[in-house]
Every structure is written in structure tokens, then in C-alpha cells.
């Protein structure tokens, strides 16, 4: 059981890294550095299509990763 949970944790961590790397940056280029987070604050750019799917999958995988990490810590202890 312990080995299975650890392998599952490694799979979730690799998946989380891959999903984060697939997303494009929120403030790409010099224009993002100048404008800062003002565009996101006022909601001019909303995620659509693949960006929205990747964002939601990232949240789900991250939540599963944290829960699984806590479970592994309890089981190993």
C-alpha cells in the first residue's frame, strides 16, 4: 500500500509539472512587465478554450497532489 501511494504521488507530481509547463505565461513579454497585473485585475483577458481547460486541470491535479502527499505522510508515519 505504501509503495503504491508513493508511486501515485510521483505520477501526480510529474503530471502537475507537465501541466504547468504547458500553460503559457500570464504576462509574456515586455508589455506584461510594464502593465503589471492591471489587465488581470479588471478582467480584460479571460481564459478561453485550451487555457481554461489547462487551468482547471491544474487546480484538480494540484488538489489531488496535496491530499495524496498528506495521506502518504500519515501512512509512512
Amino acid at each position: 500500500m505504501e509503495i503504491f501511494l508513493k508511486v501515485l504521488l510521483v505520477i501526480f507530481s510529474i503530471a502537475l509539472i507537465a501541466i504547468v509547463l504547458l500553460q503559457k505565461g500570464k504576462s509574456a513579454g515586455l508589455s506584461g512587465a510594464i502593465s503589471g497585473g492591471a489587465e488581470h485585475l479588471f478582467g480584460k483577458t479571460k481564459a478561453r478554450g485550451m487555457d481554461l481547460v489547462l487551468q482547471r486541470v491544474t487546480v484538480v491535479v494540484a488538489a489531488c497532489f496535496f491530499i495524496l502527499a498528506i495521506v502518504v505522510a500519515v501512512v509512512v508515519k
Side-chain angles (χ1 to χ4, degrees):
M1 181 73 169
E2 181 180 335
I3 294 173
F4 172 72
L5 288 175
K6 286 182 180 180
V7 169
L8 199 60
L9 186 64
V10 169
I11 291 171
F12 270 100
S13 64
I14 292 171
L16 186 60
I17 291 169
I19 291 170
V20 168
L21 288 177
L22 284 174
Q23 296 177 6
K24 62 179 173 180
K26 298 288 182 186
S27 58
L30 186 59
S31 64
I34 294 172
S35 66
E39 294 176 2
H40 301 293
L41 180 63
F42 297 114
K44 291 182 182 176
T45 58
K46 295 191 177 190
R48 295 178 188 240
M50 193 61 172
D51 290 334
L52 181 63
V53 171
L54 284 174
Q55 183 179 5
R56 290 185 178 166
V57 170
T58 303
V59 170
V60 170
V61 172
C64 291
F65 173 78
F66 286 123
I67 292 169
L68 192 60
I70 293 170
V71 168
V72 168
V74 169
V75 168
V76 169
K77 187 178 181 184

